Amino acid sequence: MKERLYTAAKPTGRLTLGNYVGAVDNWLKMQEEYDSIFCVADLHSLTVNIDPKELRDNSYAVMANYLACGLDPNKCTLYYQSQVPAHTALCWLLDCVTSMGEASRMTAYKEKAQSNKNVSVGLFNYPMLMAADILLYDAKYVPIGEDQRQHLELARNLAIRFNNKYGETFVVPQGVYQKVGAKIYNLQNPTKKMSKSDFDNSGNILLEDPIDVIKQKIKRAVTDSDSKIIYDPENKPGVSNLLSIYSVLAKKSMKECEAFFDGKNYGALKNEVSDIVIATIEPIQQKFMYYMNNKDEIEKIATQGAERIEAEADKKVKLVKERMGLIF
Ligand code: AMP
């Protein structure tokens, strides 16, 4: 039997090149090897203040991009988080074994809370909902970017604590991180994560950006006043970010990339990155348009996906309730 893998992206915006390089590229290989579940985490999107129409559009777009990138409903399960009520049920049960102290230490929450006055309880609860997503399905592997490492650690701790207190109930999940590209940075501010939730997208490449916009964004990417093309994230964050993108998409090791660019200038690096990004994104965009024009197909795929896993999720919630002493 194949081992279980679970991961998700939240439709707070449109997928970026960071999502592709840091996550989806890896998922494509993994769907061949694992019993994979790829979720569109629409409930997680409600943790930020999002307009219903925007959420609906983004939710179709993220699933359309999953399919356009090559996630195949015949090989994996694709669905929307809100289609399976067990996620929120388990979230509450896990809330009650999470301490305020450990939840308050989550850096993603602290960063978002600092820059936003109207922080919701949902945003605070985000990591426990993510833990529920993963633990519901006995996922052994969770491929994620660096930004989610702390949340995954919390999910592991909750699983271990629950098992110790109530008896073996959850599989303790392992995070799977890309060696290169686990964190792709904003092209204008290469110490900040490339994010789909930004107001200003000048440093973020969206998978749906027109080709000439992608070229411009890469051309304007911030580098440094040196001229050496080497991977040195601390001293050369901009160049290292471009090298990471190139390395993942060209499927070359960082050593091979450095050798390839040895003696070349930053203009050449940007041209090569631009070419490989466009060669990757252009075919995805054509398929993306197909799905966006056939939303009924998206709905059918997601409904079939949800139906496939719903019974398993309900069974897990029932077991957790029993273990905790609830009668129903
Ligand atoms: P999110 O964008 O938070 O919905 O995350 C979807 C997946 O993409 C998660 O596995 C993230 O860790 C990953 N991810 C998001 N942004 C980046 C980035 N800038 N670089 C690498 N991985 C990312």
Side-chain angles (χ1 to χ4, degrees):
M1 216 171 79
K2 286 182 174 178
E3 289 175 306
R4 180 54 70 69
L5 175 150
Y6 185 95
T7 195
K10 56 183 183 308
T12 44
R14 301 308 182 92
L15 289 191
T16 69
L17 184 67
N19 291 124
Y20 187 87
V21 172
V24 181
D25 179 71
N26 208 12
W27 301 354
L28 296 176
K29 288 171 246 157
M30 296 183 113
Q31 70 172 337
E32 308 291 337
E33 214 177 311
Y34 297 98
D35 175 7
S36 305
I37 304 176
F38 300 106
C39 171
V40 176
D42 49 1
L43 294 173
H44 272 106
S45 294
L46 297 173
T47 60
V48 296
N49 187 9
I50 190 164
D51 169 73
K53 182 184 177 311
E54 200 186 333
L55 175 56
R56 205 166 296 123
D57 289 346
N58 289 343
S59 298
Y60 280 116
V62 170
M63 190 64 91
N65 261 322
Y66 276 5
L67 293 161
C69 288
L71 294 180
D72 178 349
N74 294 313
K75 295 180 181 166
C76 64
T77 300
L78 298 162
Y79 75 110
Y80 291 99
Q81 187 183 25
S82 61
Q83 291 179 297
V84 180
H87 287 256
T88 42
L90 183 59
C91 177
W92 171 255
L93 301 169
L94 292 177
D95 275 345
C96 296
V97 293
T98 309
S99 76
M100 280 298 287
E102 65 190 338
S104 307
R105 281 195 290 277
M106 296 294 117
T107 51
Y109 170 75
K110 285 199 276 191
E111 277 165 22
K112 284 192 183 142
Q114 253 170 17
S115 57
N116 188 349
K117 275 196 201 111
N118 297 317
V119 173
S120 68
V121 174
L123 186 67
F124 186 73
N125 219 10
Y126 179 116
M128 285 67 87
L129 181 59
M130 178 168 155
D133 298 345
I134 297 164
L135 300 183
L136 261 187
Y137 300 103
D138 286 336
K140 181 158 185 202
Y141 298 111
V142 186
I144 39 174
E146 262 317 311
D147 57 330
Q148 297 293 340
R149 190 184 280 271
Q150 198 188 23
H151 292 161
L152 200 270
E153 275 310 308
L154 178 73
R156 286 172 56 81
N157 289 340
L158 293 180
I160 293 168
R161 183 177 311 152
F162 194 98
N163 289 348
N164 286 340
K165 184 165 181 193
Y166 298 105
E168 243 3 81
T169 307
F170 296 122
V171 168
V172 180
Q174 293 170 31
V176 181
Y177 305 92
Q178 299 266 62
K179 282 198 187 78
V180 176
K183 191 162 183 182
I184 296 301
Y185 294 87
N186 186 298
L187 299 182
Q188 286 302 312
N189 180 359
T191 54
K192 176 181 172 294
K193 183 182 95 158
M194 186 179 283
S195 165
K196 64 171 128 59
S197 322
D198 285 345
F199 182 66
D200 170 12
N201 273 322
S202 58
N204 301 321
I205 293 181
L206 307 183
L207 295 187
E208 293 161 51
D209 273 343
I211 298 302
D212 54 327
V213 172
I214 295 175
K215 278 188 190 158
Q216 278 305 318
K217 285 182 179 175
I218 295 174
K219 207 170 170 185
R220 291 196 193 123
V222 168
T223 50
D224 52 53
S225 53
D226 184 33
S227 61
K228 277 203 198 90
I229 304 179
I230 50 167
Y231 185 73
D232 178 359
E234 206 169 302
N235 299 306
K236 298 169 75 68
V239 168
S240 302
N241 192 34
L242 292 172
L243 276 173
S244 296
I245 295 169
Y246 183 80
S247 166
V248 171
L249 298 184
K251 310 210 178 317
K252 289 183 185 168
S253 71
M254 200 46 89
K255 270 217 161 72
E256 287 172 312
C257 295
E258 284 180 335
F260 179 72
F261 287 112
D262 187 32
K264 297 196 172 101
N265 62 24
Y266 288 172
L269 171 65
K270 287 182 176 179
N271 283 340
E272 291 289 345
V273 172
S274 191
D275 287 351
I276 195 96
V277 168
I278 291 166
T280 306
I281 289 184
E282 218 168 17
I284 293 174
Q285 290 190 341
Q286 286 160 14
K287 291 186 198 134
F288 172 81
M289 283 319 297
Y290 167 81
Y291 285 109
M292 288 307 270
N293 290 326
N294 292 279
K295 294 201 176 90
D296 52 333
E297 234 174 275
I298 293 181
E299 287 163 10
K300 198 169 146 206
I301 288 168
T303 303
Q304 283 172 349
E307 281 169 1
R308 201 182 299 158
I309 53 176
E310 203 170 11
E312 186 183 338
D314 287 343
K315 201 170 147 203
K316 181 64 85 179
V317 170
K318 191 166 173 250
L319 176 67
V320 174
K321 283 182 171 174
E322 269 170 17
R323 292 264 153 96
M324 293 181 92
L326 297 167
I327 303 167
F328 54 92

